[in-house]
Amino acid sequence: MFSYSTRLAGSALLAHVFSTRLLGASVSGYPQQEPSPDLLADMRAKFNAAPLQIQRLGEDVTMLSGPGGSVVVLNGPDGKFVVDTFVAPAWPRLKEALDGLGNAPVQCVIDTHWHFDHTDNNAHLHAAGATVLAHENTTKRMSESHDLPVLYRAANGALAGLHFDPSPAGALPQQTFATSYKLQANGETLALQHVPPAHTDTDIYVHFEKANVIQMGDLFFNWMYPYIDPSTGGKITGTIAAADRILSLADKDTKIVAGHGPLGNKADLTRFREMLVTSRDRIEKLNSAGKPAQEAVAEKPFADLDAIWGKGIINSDQWVQIVYLTL
Ligand SMILES: [Zn+2]
């Protein structure tokens, strides 16, 4: 942990400005300048506090939502195909829910991107016989250590300078692709498509073509400000481009699964895209006028948007910082 102050300085994000509140909120009881070693465990526990809900999206397609976002399962005689995996402490509930869908083994796990709340149970499912499939950058990012920038903390305590060690070998994907990949199973076609840097540089979406379901992973947070990860290539303009791409694929009946938030549709994604464009345009103006991020935070540039978008994982102050970091 001795390098934390270096990382804090290196992140160059408001840490000195907000350090009193940041440290007061996050690491009371720990020496100043040291993050709680349990911060990541705290986040996993918070995600895991959500109930697991099961929602049928199509004949053989089921959404499990709650402990760390949304998991979509294609089930049938060819086995189960599972997209994303929740946080590690949710494993017993994920396993129970998967077992409850039928006896077929999990053939394949697909990661929408490298983040822990989507990949945490890769190793369990691989140990049970599944092949883990992802974009090649997911393997690269999971194999590295990362320090996510320090953000002014939300009341829910998320997102302060998280550190990630490289994932163990058993958690890494066994199969990867560079651009796109098609799978056929259980009478369904799954089209997997990488997009240019958006939420991270590892993102794919998964289109269940027959069921008319598109799982976007964290390219879409439904009715809340998104997290965009500057430490692994995230870009707000790329996130807007990814929304445009899905909007061009979707029709009014398409079920659009967000990484976080309730099941969405084309109208929901359209509203999300508009919010992203508004946010980017406002921060671009402030940034090109030479206003530092900490002054922009104090100005509350998203005050009119917060009632709708600011009640989720990311609060308004964090969203200002994220947009600055991912312009
Ligand atoms: Zn993510």
Side-chain angles (χ1 to χ4, degrees):
M1 288 298 174
F2 84 97
S3 65
Y4 182 68
S5 54
T6 311
R7 294 205 302 268
L8 197 67
S11 78
L13 185 77
L14 306 178
H16 60 294
V17 175
F18 290 120
S19 59
T20 308
R21 291 180 76 167
L22 177 78
L23 292 166
S26 65
V27 293
S28 53
Y30 290 88
Q32 297 267 308
Q33 302 297 317
E34 284 289 326
S36 161
D38 295 319
L39 195 52
L40 189 53
D42 288 350
M43 282 192 71
R44 285 187 165 107
K46 281 196 176 87
F47 275 128
N48 192 47
L52 195 160
Q53 295 175 315
I54 301 177
Q55 191 173 351
R56 203 166 149 193
L57 303 185
E59 205 178 323
D60 303 312
V61 180
T62 306
M63 179 168 91
L64 313 176
S65 54
S70 309
V71 169
V72 177
V73 186
L74 169 69
N75 183 35
D78 297 332
K80 294 182 186 115
F81 292 72
V82 178
V83 189
D84 287 344
T85 72
F86 290 147
V87 289
W91 168 244
R93 287 190 291 157
L94 175 60
K95 184 178 185 316
E96 188 187 2
L98 292 172
D99 290 347
L101 293 175
N103 295 328
V106 178
Q107 286 293 337
C108 181
V109 172
I110 298 165
D111 295 330
T112 58
H113 63 293
W114 78 272
H115 284 155
F116 72 97
D117 48 327
H118 300 257
T119 59
D120 252 4
N121 289 305
N122 279 1
H124 279 301
L125 289 159
H126 178 57
T131 300
V132 179
L133 172 64
H135 186 263
E136 59 192 16
N137 287 351
T138 291
T139 306
K140 174 173 173 270
R141 294 309 195 179
M142 288 179 74
S143 306
E144 303 167 343
S145 59
H146 293 283
D147 290 288
L148 271 51
V150 176
L151 297 176
Y152 173 48
R153 290 176 69 85
N156 69 8
L159 298 174
L162 281 180
H163 174 77
F164 294 89
D165 288 323
S167 298
L172 300 178
Q174 288 81 47
Q175 197 175 351
T176 61
F177 62 94
T179 307
S180 61
Y181 194 95
K182 242 180 201 197
L183 266 172
Q184 286 182 318
N186 300 320
E188 178 60 273
T189 300
L190 270 58
L192 284 55
Q193 179 65 50
H194 178 59
V195 297
H199 171 70
T200 65
D201 63 6
T202 70
D203 308 306
I204 63 166
Y205 63 82
V206 181
H207 188 183
F208 298 76
E209 292 181 346
K210 186 178 145 210
N212 198 10
V213 171
I214 302 175
Q215 184 174 10
M216 291 182 66
D218 285 357
L219 295 169
F220 182 27
F221 282 53
N222 201 10
W223 297 105
M224 57 180 99
Y225 291 132
Y227 183 62
I228 300 176
D229 181 356
S231 76
T232 55
K235 293 284 168 202
I236 187 166
T237 295
T239 309
I240 294 165
D244 284 334
R245 183 160 190 164
I246 302 303
L247 288 169
S248 76
L249 281 177
D251 61 41
K252 65 176 177 40
D253 298 319
T254 306
K255 296 181 175 80
I256 304 181
V257 178
H260 300 274
L263 179 65
N265 58 26
K266 198 169 177 177
D268 296 321
L269 182 58
T270 301
R271 288 289 297 275
F272 178 71
R273 181 201 179 275
E274 285 168 6
M275 179 278 293
L276 292 176
V277 170
T278 302
S279 301
R280 180 196 58 189
D281 291 353
R282 288 182 191 174
I283 297 298
E284 250 172 15
K285 247 185 218 146
L286 293 169
N287 188 46
S288 53
K291 189 162 296 253
Q294 65 267 35
E295 286 178 27
V297 168
E299 273 183 26
K300 302 276 176 203
F302 302 139
D304 57 323
L305 305 175
D306 293 342
I308 292 178
W309 303 97
K311 312 249 183 270
I313 297 169
I314 301 296
N315 71 17
S316 181
D317 294 346
Q318 291 174 322
W319 179 231
V320 173
Q321 298 164 64
I322 289 168
V323 179
Y324 258 89
L325 285 168
T326 60
L327 278 177

